[in-house]
């Protein structure tokens, strides 16, 4: 079977790799960056007739493959997915569905009307870690859930790369960070609680990555700066193991210093045009009185998600990255469940969730299993929580009903 991909950045490349490993042909790639199109031809043997620089040209060619992966920039998702549905594709859609709440709702309705499959890339549901948590909670081991706390620790360097210097630094150009980054988290919270969200409030702001916090005499670009700084881009992209990150921004340039002299990724983190919050807290009230909290922050040394679920018979907590779950039933000895090995190859990303999402979609499309668990009709609710959270944040934490 065949896959076509619109948007061949990091996410598009990851999905291409998983389809390719499963024996699917990468039939067509559409991306405005010529370096990325050449990469698709080189790595996956994509015929140059099916390398497109322009999305309108790609869709004008009609249905080229069995499945379309939409992994373009957030603001382009709606157009690309809508055109894909019209062409007759089943779609794997990178999150968020759209930066517009209306477009999210409309796209779900259009998929239902055309009876096409649209799977949203809420990859955390596919990880062994969160699936085990869901199993524990659904099985009643901790009793009825009364509260849940999720922490999204983005990592200081990842935040600087993506949300200060990168494509997701401005809400109006991409999406609010609580949607762009944390619709994963609201989706997981909604899935585990298993009840509709009724109300949301949120606080947060851009605290640190601002001009007034720049060190005295700092330069506008890292290559011109002599002040020691943990956000030095030249040091970031020169580290062993960072070749993949540099390849995302280099457009084929191999000289790191030369690239950073003109690339937006070489700018001082205190002197960019970013406006998204670097810390945000969201409070959610679910049907039946279950409360949940999500804390998103840039200020962690490493990247990890942690969760603590409170039930009336016990509690369960864990860290996605270390793959361990600690189950504490009241009156019993605590139990540790180690899922590190069951995650298998985690190189695809998200603790193995990226690969399992693709496997699940393939199994559904080939009739080996029922359709997947992140259908767009389900995913809209987690997006609506994020939209409500951002409205609340901008209104000083005002309660937003859903």
């Amino acid at each position: 079977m065949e896959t076509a991909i619109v948007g061949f950045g990091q996410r598009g490349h990851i999905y291409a790799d998983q389809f390719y490993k499963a024996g699917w042909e990468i039939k067509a790639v559409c991306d405005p960056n010529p370096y990325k199109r050449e990469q698709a031809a080189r790595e996956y043997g994509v015929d140059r007739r099916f390398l497109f620089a322009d999305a309108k040209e790609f869709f004008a060619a009609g249905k080229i493959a069995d499945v379309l992966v939409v992994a373009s920039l957030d603001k382009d998702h709606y157009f690309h997915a809508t055109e894909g549905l019209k062409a007759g594709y089943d779609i794997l859609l990178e999150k968020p569905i759209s930066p517009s709440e209306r477009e999210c709702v409309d796209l779900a309705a259009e998929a239902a009307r055309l009876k096409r499959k649209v799977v949203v890339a809420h990859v955390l549901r596919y990880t062994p870690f969160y699936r085990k948590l869901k199993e524990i909670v659904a099985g009643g081991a901790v009793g009825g859930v009364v509260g849940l706390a999720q922490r999204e620790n983005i990592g200081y360097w990842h935040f600087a790369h993506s949300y200060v210097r990168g494509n997701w630094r401005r809400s109006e150009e991409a999406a609010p960070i609580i949607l762009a980054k944390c619709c994963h988290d609201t989706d997981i919270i909604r899935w585990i609680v298993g009840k509709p969200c009724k109300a949301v409030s949120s606080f947060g702001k851009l605290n640190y990555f601002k001009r007034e916090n720049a060190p005295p005499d700092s330069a506008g670009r890292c290559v011109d700066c002599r002040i020691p700084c943990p956000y030095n881009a030249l040091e970031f992209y020169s580290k062993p193991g960072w070749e993949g990150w540099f390849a995302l921004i280099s457009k084929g340039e191999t000289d790191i210093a030369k690239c950073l002299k003109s690339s937006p990724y070489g700018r001082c983190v205190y002197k960019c045009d970013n406006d998204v919050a670097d810390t945000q807290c969201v409070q959610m009230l679910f049907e039946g009185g279950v409360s949940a909290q999500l804390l998103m922050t840039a200020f962690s040394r490493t990247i990890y998600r942690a969760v603590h679920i409170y039930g009336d018979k016990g509690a369960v907590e864990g860290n996605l990255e270390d793959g361990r779950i600690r189950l504490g039933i009241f009156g019993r000895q605590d139990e540790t469940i180690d899922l590190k090995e069951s995650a298998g190859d985690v190189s695809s990303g998200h603790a193995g969730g990226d690969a399992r999402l693709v496997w699940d979609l393939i199994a559904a499309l080939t009739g080996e299993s029922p359709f997947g668990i992140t259908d767009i009709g389900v995913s809209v609710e987690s997006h609506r929580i994020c939209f409500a959270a951002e409205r609340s944040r901008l209104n000083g934490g005002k309660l937003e009903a859903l």
Side-chain angles (χ1 to χ4, degrees), residues 157-180:
W157 55 268
H158 181 15
F159 191 90
H161 170 87
S162 298
Y163 302 100
V164 178
R165 295 169 170 139
N167 290 331
W168 294 272
R169 69 190 183 277
R170 293 184 62 80
S171 294
E172 64 182 22
E173 294 179 11
I177 191 170
I178 202 66
L179 176 68

Side-chain angles (χ1 to χ4, degrees), residues 138-357:
V142 297
V145 173
V146 296
L148 186 153
Q150 169 99 348
R151 298 197 308 277
E152 161 66 294
N153 299 279
I154 296 176
Y156 75 98
W157 55 268
H158 181 15
F159 191 90
H161 170 87
S162 298
Y163 302 100
V164 178
R165 295 169 170 139
N167 290 331
W168 294 272
R169 69 190 183 277
R170 293 184 62 80
S171 294
E172 64 182 22
E173 294 179 11
I177 191 170
I178 202 66
L179 176 68
K181 180 62 172 165
C182 295
C183 65
H184 274 322
D185 302 279
T186 56
D187 178 72
I188 277 295
I189 292 170
R190 168 65 179 88
W191 186 50
I192 289 176
V193 171
K195 297 176 180 179
C197 184
K198 309 302 289 184
V200 171
S201 67
S202 182
F203 297 91
K205 65 177 183 176
L206 175 60
N207 293 281
Y208 185 65
F209 298 97
K210 301 183 288 189
R211 189 167 291 270
E212 56 261 39
N213 291 323
D217 302 321
S218 57
R221 288 190 169 272
C222 295
V223 293
D224 302 319
C225 194
R226 297 295 174 263
I227 296 174
C229 175
Y231 297 99
N232 185 297
L234 190 59
E235 293 180 5
F236 270 14
Y237 299 110
S238 299
K239 289 179 182 178
W242 276 63
E243 297 83 2
W245 286 92
F246 180 65
L248 291 173
I249 68 170
S250 66
K251 297 182 180 181
E253 176 61 64
T254 57
D255 187 317
I256 296 176
K258 183 178 178 182
C259 173
L260 295 180
K261 275 188 172 293
S262 58
S263 169
Y265 292 89
R267 295 176 295 173
C268 172
V269 292
Y270 306 103
K271 300 175 183 180
C272 293
D273 60 343
N274 56 303
D275 67 2
V276 300
D278 53 30
T279 298
Q280 187 167 351
C281 185
V282 182
Q283 292 73 231
M284 290 155 271
L285 177 65
F286 288 85
E287 191 176 89
V290 179
S291 59
Q293 182 186 72
L294 167 64
L295 175 65
M296 176 280 297
T297 184
F299 305 106
S300 61
R301 188 173 181 275
T302 59
I303 299 172
Y304 69 99
R305 281 183 167 93
V307 62
H308 200 135
I309 304 166
Y310 304 90
D312 52 30
K313 290 184 173 62
V316 59
E317 63 180 306
N319 179 314
L320 173 64
E321 274 61 42
D322 74 16
R324 292 184 179 87
I325 291 173
R326 286 160 291 281
L327 176 61
I329 307 301
F330 300 154
R332 300 183 192 175
Q333 187 173 351
D334 287 358
E335 176 186 354
T336 298
I337 304 166
D338 192 338
L339 298 166
K340 198 69 174 179
E341 289 190 13
S342 64
D345 180 12
V346 299
S347 61
S348 68
H350 293 105
D354 290 344
R356 283 174 168 78
L357 165 65

Side-chain angles (χ1 to χ4, degrees), residues 59-60 100 271 314 359:
F59 288 113
S100 160
K271 300 175 183 180
W359 302 345

